[in-house]
Amino acid sequence: MAMHDLGYRSWDAHAPYQKYSWLSISRYGVRLAWKSHWLRRIVFLAFMPVALMVGAVFFFEQASNTPAIFPAVVTVVEFLERNDGQSADGDFQQPYQSMADRAVFLRTRDPEKIASYLSEHRPRVWKDILFVFFKNSQGLTLVILIGMIAPGLISRDMQSRAFLLYLSRPITPFQYALGKATTVWVFVASVSTIPALAVYFVGVLFSPNLGVLLNTWDIPLRILLASGVLAIPTTALALCLSSIVHESRYAGFSWYAIWIVGAVATNILTGIAIAEDPQNISFFARSAWSWLSLYHVLGIVEQWVFGLMAKPTDVIPYLTMLVVLTIVCFSILMRRITAPIRI
Amino acid sequence: MAEKTNPGDVEPIQLAWDGDTTPTVVELRGLTKRFGNVIALTDVSLDVPQGITGLLGPNGAGKSTLIKILLGLVQPTAGTGLVEGRDVLREGKAIRASVGFMPEDDCYIPGISGVEMVHFAACLNGYPSLEGLRRAHEVLDFCGTEEERYREVDTYSTGMRQKLKFAQALVHDPSLLILDEPTSGLDPDERQIMLNRIQSLSRKAGMSVLISTHILPDVQQICDHAIVLVEGQVRRQDSIENLNRTSSPSLQVRIVGDMAAYTTALGNAGITSSLDGTGTLIVEDPAGDLAGRLWSLAFQAGVGIRSLTPAMTSLDEVFIQAMQEGGSGNGNA
């Protein structure tokens, strides 16, 4: 017994954070996950695309100060509008009628004309940049990141039988699941939501005046919604897989298999469809086989979230898929969490 | 499935510890729990008084289910219960906030150190992080966990994990401590230290303790009361003192000299006696007035009395008897 041992001492401390004690689960979860060197490297790499996005916004906004880059900006805007499907509905009228007019327009150095053009296309371009950020770079990064964090979150507790350690405390199985999910969301937010909001605010700072806030006020909300779309179904799926097995490696394997097999199948079938109809190619192409791949489904819903879908009603089946997936995974998760208590 | 009764309707059934005025910390009435076709608990009514109470029972007796019901983790199929005045059906969270639980399973969170785990337990109870850390060190000191508290729990021996689980159960200073096999995996010295700690918690800190265990000497040594649960039914519940009493008052006599002559003298005096396997004579004393006569009969038979004590039943015998009996209601001894 230690020399300084004073025996048992009562403690009459107040517990003010009982309602939020599930946050301790996330805090410890994040701390544990952060111990992985590989995870730190992935998070570091995940920030790389942010520089590209900031660069793109800077390039767009700089056109008002440097008219020499204005033609390049117009070309990029035309490319985006040609490929995302919405231009087909004629949402955006170009300020020229013919190729000859276009050539004249590209040579303009009139600051008012340039400012007007940028102002009209700014929300669309920013949304496109953020959509590409969410779908292409962060979507892929999050698959890797969640695959590193989530599989062990519940399976390790099952293996080490730590359930009773948590649930003999004043927390409910739902709060336990919420604590685990928040662990994942912290990483999702740190590599997608926060950088995307940062890109937005950097864009505001680069823009000629704060009037752009009136034009783009909805973008932060779309970023939050896109983060939710990205985080909630994926976390539910990952935690569900983690709760099904006692070995985290099996959960991790299943996680990556679902993404890879789905994406490969969709790409092959889409490739076949394109080979049969080469005209049906676009940057934001939506294949009839997209539903096979969670990655593609998320991309389609993200496209809708950023208002880049020509026919918003097209999202309904994909959105339903995500909702059903989330509900099913969450139900399995809750059942698995409460099973050790019931038995 | 039986109907759930109103949680407020706790019937005033007279239970064990007759005449014992010790306040109760747990009151269960008519508790039944079914898992599909399996009946885990059948009409369990019991009172756990303040002090240290042993919950005894073979594997599959329903002890773990009973503990989960007490913690509000599992809802009973029928019956009611109060833990420290809180309804087990509706106030599970409040119960768990004031009850400390040490699971039998090797529960630990891989990758964190011992002190982090106890700190984590304090945070789960809603305490501020810094306060929780200070308290974690305090209870680890009490539990005799020295520098190893900074090692990852994955590297701990079974004994150290037991201490850690004990510490995490104590970290929020519970008023009721539920310990599931607290001494399993401990060497004899550590076991004795653990029992002393439990005893000091009850005697000095006024904590009520419910110990679920298979180790009967532990119960005999530190418990004030015991409950024997067999096949989901309470077969015995009483103070250790009462449980140890024989069914009819008897005396244990050990003599120096001719045993045959002494038993003959007892028989001639109309006193019923029997010899147990250890050379001790068990003499029935229904009226409780035989001691004087035994001395004089010994003198007459020419033998000396080495010891004369009231006969006691060992807890092992009580346990075995309870196991062999059929269901008998609330099992008041």
Side-chain angles (χ1 to χ4, degrees):
Chain A
M1 189 173 278
M3 284 177 70
H4 59 275
D5 182 64
L6 299 171
Y8 184 78
R9 281 176 287 169
S10 294
W11 193 39
D12 57 355
H14 177 53
Y17 306 125
Q18 220 166 67
K19 282 183 184 168
Y20 311 103
S21 53
W22 55 272
L23 281 171
S24 304
I25 299 175
S26 347
R27 202 170 65 221
Y28 263 87
V30 170
R31 193 193 289 185
L32 271 175
W34 196 243
K35 284 184 178 176
S36 160
H37 292 293
W38 276 106
L39 187 85
R40 286 187 223 170
R41 285 174 192 141
I42 296 286
V43 170
F44 179 73
L45 287 174
F47 278 92
M48 296 288 170
V50 180
L52 283 176
M53 300 301 137
V54 170
V57 172
F58 176 76
F59 175 72
F60 178 82
E61 296 300 336
Q62 197 60 18
S64 58
N65 296 328
T66 316
I69 62 170
F70 181 62
V73 168
V74 173
T75 309
V76 171
V77 170
E78 286 170 350
F79 171 79
L80 291 172
E81 291 183 352
R82 198 166 49 244
N83 284 283
D84 66 7
Q86 192 152 350
S87 58
D89 294 346
D91 281 354
F92 291 94
Q93 294 298 318
Q94 295 295 350
Y96 45 81
Q97 301 297 321
S98 64
M99 290 310 285
D101 287 348
R102 180 178 181 273
V104 172
F105 179 71
L106 289 182
R107 280 198 295 275
T108 186
R109 294 294 181 268
D110 181 353
E112 277 190 20
K113 273 189 180 176
I114 293 174
S116 165
Y117 183 87
L118 294 180
S119 175
E120 189 184 348
H121 291 82
R122 179 175 291 114
R124 182 53 171 279
V125 171
W126 284 13
K127 284 176 195 171
D128 273 328
I129 290 170
L130 289 168
F131 169 63
V132 169
F133 175 69
F134 267 91
K135 180 178 181 271
N136 291 47
S137 69
Q138 300 320 85
L140 204 61
T141 308
L142 285 177
V143 171
I144 299 168
L145 206 61
I146 295 175
M148 290 177 77
I149 303 162
L153 281 178
I154 292 177
S155 60
R156 278 198 205 119
D157 284 347
M158 291 178 83
Q159 200 176 29
S160 60
R161 303 184 68 81
F163 271 111
L164 282 175
L165 203 66
Y166 290 97
L167 299 175
S168 62
R169 305 276 154 192
I171 60 167
T172 60
F174 175 76
Q175 287 176 319
Y176 170 80
L178 187 63
K180 294 290 181 183
T182 311
T183 305
V184 179
W185 292 340
V186 166
F187 285 98
V188 172
S190 67
V191 300
S192 62
T193 318
I194 294 169
L197 288 171
V199 169
Y200 171 74
F201 286 112
V202 166
V204 171
L205 293 176
F206 284 154
S207 60
N209 56 60
L210 291 179
V212 297
L213 287 171
L214 292 172
N215 251 349
T216 58
W217 63 270
D218 60 322
I219 291 181
L221 300 178
R222 289 178 193 274
I223 289 170
L224 293 178
L225 189 58
S227 303
V229 166
L230 208 58
I232 294 170
T234 50
T235 305
L237 174 65
L239 292 183
C240 170
L241 292 173
S242 178
S243 71
I244 288 171
V245 292
H246 284 222
E247 290 275 350
S248 59
R249 56 192 162 155
Y250 298 139
F253 177 79
S254 313
W255 167 260
Y256 288 117
I258 286 170
W259 290 90
I260 293 168
V261 171
V264 168
T266 299
N267 284 330
I268 289 172
L269 292 167
T270 306
I272 293 168
I274 289 172
E276 288 170 357
D277 181 10
Q279 298 302 312
N280 190 20
I281 302 175
S282 77
F283 186 68
F284 297 103
R286 190 162 65 248
S287 145
W289 300 101
S290 295
W291 60 272
L292 280 175
S293 162
L294 191 51
Y295 181 75
H296 287 76
V297 170
L298 280 173
I300 291 164
V301 178
E302 297 277 336
Q303 195 178 356
W304 169 73
V305 167
F306 281 106
L308 302 172
M309 194 173 267
K311 279 175 67 186
T313 49
D314 285 356
V315 80
I316 291 171
Y318 301 100
L319 199 57
T320 310
M321 265 183 74
L322 290 186
V323 171
V324 170
L325 175 79
T326 306
I327 292 171
V328 169
C329 289
F330 186 73
S331 307
I332 296 171
L333 173 65
M334 290 308 294
R335 194 161 175 77
R336 292 290 300 166
I337 290 172
T338 53
I341 305 172
R342 283 185 275 112
I343 295 165
Chain B
M1 186 179 281
E3 282 181 20
K4 282 184 184 169
T5 50
N6 189 336
D9 299 343
V10 178
E11 292 172 21
I13 298 170
Q14 185 62 40
L15 287 169
W17 5 107
D18 285 339
D20 190 345
T21 54
T22 314
T24 56
V25 286
V26 176
E27 295 173 36
L28 302 180
R29 297 292 180 270
L31 213 69
T32 297
K33 179 63 190 174
R34 290 198 188 98
F35 294 104
N37 294 327
V38 179
I39 301 174
L41 295 171
T42 310
D43 194 27
V44 168
S45 294
L46 58 82
D47 285 351
V48 175
Q50 281 182 355
I52 308 177
T53 304
L55 179 61
L56 303 171
N59 291 331
K63 299 193 295 293
S64 297
T65 304
L66 183 65
I67 289 173
K68 284 173 185 171
I69 289 174
L70 293 182
L71 290 169
L73 293 173
V74 169
Q75 294 280 297
T77 312
T80 60
L82 298 175
V83 174
E84 297 188 309
R86 296 189 183 92
D87 182 7
V88 293
L89 295 173
R90 295 178 183 175
E91 297 176 273
K93 272 182 87 169
I95 289 171
R96 293 196 295 277
S98 65
V99 172
F101 175 57
M102 175 183 175
E104 180 190 5
D105 293 323
D106 211 8
C107 297
Y108 65 94
I109 300 163
I112 64 174
S113 66
V115 67
E116 282 176 323
M117 190 169 129
V118 181
H119 171 237
F120 180 47
C123 292
L124 285 178
N125 268 71
Y127 290 102
S129 182
L130 195 61
E131 276 288 287
L133 187 61
R134 189 193 62 74
R135 175 68 180 170
H137 281 288
E138 199 172 279
V139 290
L140 284 167
D141 284 340
F142 173 70
C143 294
T145 310
E146 306 292 339
E147 296 305 311
E148 61 265 28
R149 72 183 65 175
Y150 299 108
R151 271 173 37 202
E152 285 192 3
V153 289
D154 316 45
T155 64
Y156 277 23
S157 66
T158 310
M160 281 161 63
R161 280 186 194 159
Q162 286 292 95
K163 284 199 262 185
L164 197 63
K165 284 192 292 179
F166 189 58
Q168 64 81 28
L170 282 177
V171 72
H172 56 298
D173 191 26
S175 45
L176 169 65
L177 196 57
I178 299 177
L179 308 174
D180 203 351
E181 301 287 356
T183 55
S184 76
L186 297 180
D187 62 42
D189 283 348
E190 282 293 342
R191 174 179 157 267
Q192 192 53 51
I193 292 168
M194 175 67 92
L195 293 176
N196 290 345
R197 276 191 201 113
I198 296 169
Q199 210 160 21
S200 80
L201 286 173
S202 173
R203 306 283 183 264
K204 293 179 185 168
M207 205 177 279
S208 297
V209 185
L210 178 66
I211 303 176
S212 169
T213 183
H214 292 101
I215 306 171
L216 299 179
D218 288 358
V219 175
Q220 182 78 55
Q221 187 180 335
I222 64 164
C223 290
D224 307 310
H225 302 87
I227 296 163
V228 182
L229 199 64
V230 180
E231 294 173 352
Q233 293 176 310
V234 176
R235 295 276 172 86
R236 292 279 191 285
Q237 54 175 332
D238 211 328
S239 64
I240 294 293
E241 193 185 341
N242 285 344
L243 286 172
N244 281 336
R245 278 191 195 135
T246 50
S247 52
S248 61
S250 312
L251 293 168
Q252 285 182 332
V253 187
R254 298 184 73 191
I255 62 164
V256 182
D258 186 357
M259 179 64 81
Y262 190 54
T263 50
T264 307
L266 291 176
N268 291 341
I271 296 170
T272 311
S273 65
S274 60
L275 202 59
D276 74 3
T278 62
T280 304
L281 202 60
I282 308 296
V283 180
E284 287 185 16
D285 183 15
D289 57 356
L290 271 184
R293 288 183 68 197
L294 291 178
W295 281 103
S296 54
L297 287 168
F299 179 73
Q300 287 168 18
V303 299
I305 290 182
R306 183 184 286 166
S307 69
L308 179 63
T309 55
M312 303 289 277
T313 311
S314 75
L315 210 51
D316 298 62
E317 287 174 67
V318 173
F319 186 69
I320 291 165
Q321 279 172 15
M323 293 259 292
Q324 289 167 346
E325 283 172 12
S328 59
N330 288 320
N332 297 330

